[in-house]
């Protein structure tokens, strides 16, 4: 349930900041949709040192860090990692790239053993279509 509150609050903040959001779900129904979405959440565990996603790849969904620490970094031309920051729970990862259908601007690697809630694009679209009978733009 903490994942739902975190996603819900974050989406509200994005709307308040008037960021571009491509959603066909009316905002009043968004919280209900997110509550239903928790039922299709996938729990993923990574060991320290495992890569969660790569810079330049397109996201398959949104990640919510539940436990552990993740290192966000980019690679320079000489393949040296440049640390952007270390994130700790609760933290949403990849939501901007996912919402804007862009590639990741950074890579994410488990700094410690981590537990993540993952919400895939496919499960979101299936849940959205089943409950709200709306289509993508």
């Amino acid at each position: 349930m903490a994942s739902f509150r975190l996603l819900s609050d974050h989406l509200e903040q994005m709307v308040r900041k008037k960021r571009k959001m491509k959603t066909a779900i009316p905002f009043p129904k968004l919280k209900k949709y997110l509550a239903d979405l928790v039922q299709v959440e996938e729990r993923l565990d990574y060991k320290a040192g495992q890569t969660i996603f790569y810079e330049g790849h397109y996201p398959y969904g949104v990640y919510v860090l539940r436990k552990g620490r993740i290192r966000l970094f980019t690679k320079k031309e000489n393949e040296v990692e440049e640390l952007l920051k270390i994130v700790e729970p609760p933290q949403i990862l990849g939501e901007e790239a996912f919402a804007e259908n862009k590639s990741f601007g950074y890579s994410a690697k488990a700094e410690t053993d981590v537990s993540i809630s993952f919400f895939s694009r496919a499960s979101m679209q299936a849940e959205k279509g089943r409950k709200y009978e709306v289509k993508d733009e």
Side-chain angles (χ1 to χ4, degrees), residues 60-78:
Y60 293 109
V62 176
Y63 302 81
V64 179
L65 178 60
R66 301 172 61 83
K67 182 179 88 171
R69 295 178 4 162
I70 293 177
R71 179 169 33 120
L72 305 180
F73 63 93
T74 60
K75 284 202 174 183
K76 296 194 175 233
E77 291 178 22
N78 56 4

Side-chain angles (χ1 to χ4, degrees), residues 103-119:
S103 62
F104 290 116
Y106 52 87
S107 295
K109 189 179 282 189
E111 186 79 3
T112 63
D113 290 355
V114 299
S115 179
I116 292 174
S117 291
F118 180 70
F119 300 91

Side-chain angles (χ1 to χ4, degrees), residues 87-105:
V87 295
E88 295 180 346
Q91 181 70 45
I92 298 174
L93 299 168
E95 79 283 2
E96 288 182 23
F98 180 80
E100 297 173 9
N101 201 26
K102 293 184 178 179
S103 62
F104 290 116

Side-chain angles (χ1 to χ4, degrees), residues 2-111:
S3 299
F4 162 70
R5 284 193 299 274
L6 183 63
L7 279 171
S8 177
D9 292 347
H10 188 70
L11 283 172
E12 283 186 40
Q13 289 174 358
M14 287 177 75
V15 169
R16 282 194 186 110
K17 291 179 182 177
K18 299 190 183 209
R19 299 180 87 165
K20 290 183 181 178
M21 287 187 58
K22 295 179 181 178
T23 180
I25 300 173
F27 190 69
K29 293 184 178 181
L30 196 55
K31 280 192 177 185
K32 170 85 172 95
Y33 164 67
L34 288 172
D36 292 340
L37 193 60
V38 170
Q39 296 174 21
V40 295
E41 129 188 55
E42 297 175 52
R43 296 283 174 98
L44 306 175
D45 294 313
Y46 292 87
K47 297 286 183 194
Q50 285 186 297
T51 300
I52 298 160
F53 56 81
Y54 294 93
E55 178 179 7
H57 289 199
Y58 282 84
Y60 293 109
V62 176
Y63 302 81
V64 179
L65 178 60
R66 301 172 61 83
K67 182 179 88 171
R69 295 178 4 162
I70 293 177
R71 179 169 33 120
L72 305 180
F73 63 93
T74 60
K75 284 202 174 183
K76 296 194 175 233
E77 291 178 22
N78 56 4
E79 295 298 310
V80 173
E81 293 181 4
E82 180 181 341
L83 178 67
L84 299 175
K85 66 179 173 178
I86 303 285
V87 295
E88 295 180 346
Q91 181 70 45
I92 298 174
L93 299 168
E95 79 283 2
E96 288 182 23
F98 180 80
E100 297 173 9
N101 201 26
K102 293 184 178 179
S103 62
F104 290 116
Y106 52 87
S107 295
K109 189 179 282 189
E111 186 79 3

